[in-house]
Amino acid sequence: MQGMNLPRLRPALIASVGTMLVLSLLGSACTLPPIQQKDELRVDSVTLAPKFVGAAESPPFCLHLRLVGGFYVAYSERQVESWVTEGRCDSDGAPRAVDQLRMNWRFQGYDTQRSRQCANATGCRSQERDIVEGHALRCASAVAQQGNQTAFLTTDVVGCP
C-alpha cells in the first residue's frame, strides 16, 4: 500500500488566493447597509383645489417624518414616526390632529412595503425589532390630509413613493 502524495501548493498561488479573498471581503463590505440610520424631514402642506375636496377648508400644517434604524445582521430595530403640527414648518407649532395620517416603509433587499394608518390623530408610530434575520430600512414616506390641506414627503422618491 502506497501513501497518498498530495500536491504541494506554490507560495504564489496561496498569495493570490489570499489576496482575492481579502479583496472580495472588502468589496462586499460596501454592499452592507449602514449600521445606524437616522433621518428627519418636514414639509408644509399645500392647498387642494375646491373641485377635489368640495367646501372643506383647513388651516395649513407641517408634516414631520422621522426614521431611526439599527442593523446588526442578526438583529435589527427601527422606528418610523410621523406627526403633524399647526402652521408652517418654520414656526414651532403645537401638535394637531388630522383626518388621515399614513406611513409606508421598505427594507433593503425586499420588495414588500409595510404601512400604518392612523385616523384622527396627531401622530403615528411603528416600532419593530427583528432577531435572527435583521432588516435594514431602505426608505420611508408619510402623507397627511385635513380638509383642503395635504402634505407628502419621502426619504426616497423611487423606493417609497
Side-chain angles (χ1 to χ4, degrees):
M1 209 193 263
Q2 292 182 344
M4 296 184 70
N5 291 328
L6 296 175
R8 293 184 181 236
L9 295 177
R10 297 181 194 160
L13 179 62
I14 294 173
S16 64
V17 169
T19 302
M20 288 181 2
L21 181 62
V22 168
L23 289 176
S24 66
L25 288 174
L26 289 174
S28 67
C30 295
T31 61
L32 289 176
I35 292 175
Q36 294 290 330
Q37 183 179 20
K38 185 173 182 177
D39 206 355
E40 189 167 330
L41 305 169
R42 60 185 182 174
V43 67
D44 290 323
S45 64
V46 295
T47 305
L48 297 172
K51 68 180 181 179
F52 297 115
V53 292
E57 288 191 25
S58 181
F61 60 82
C62 178
L63 175 62
H64 302 257
L65 174 66
R66 180 181 300 139
L67 168 71
V68 179
F71 174 74
Y72 310 99
V73 183
Y75 173 78
S76 63
E77 58 185 352
R78 70 201 145 277
Q79 177 179 323
V80 179
E81 179 180 17
S82 63
W83 67 96
V84 176
T85 56
E86 291 283 348
R88 298 286 176 199
C89 292
D90 56 1
S91 65
D92 190 21
R96 172 177 169 182
V98 291
D99 294 337
Q100 295 179 22
L101 183 55
R102 188 177 65 239
M103 304 181 311
N104 299 308
W105 61 96
R106 287 188 183 200
F107 302 119
Q108 289 184 0
Y110 295 88
D111 288 335
T112 58
Q113 177 172 289
R114 293 196 182 175
S115 61
R116 178 155 188 190
Q117 184 167 334
C118 302
N120 297 318
T122 60
C124 204
R125 174 188 286 184
S126 173
Q127 191 165 355
E128 300 173 311
R129 290 188 177 113
D130 293 308
I131 300 175
V132 178
E133 181 186 5
H135 297 287
L137 280 170
R138 175 180 177 188
C139 56
S141 64
V143 63
Q145 184 172 358
Q146 175 73 37
N148 64 341
Q149 298 291 315
T150 189
F152 168 78
L153 49 77
T154 182
T155 61
D156 180 357
V157 176
V158 175
C160 289

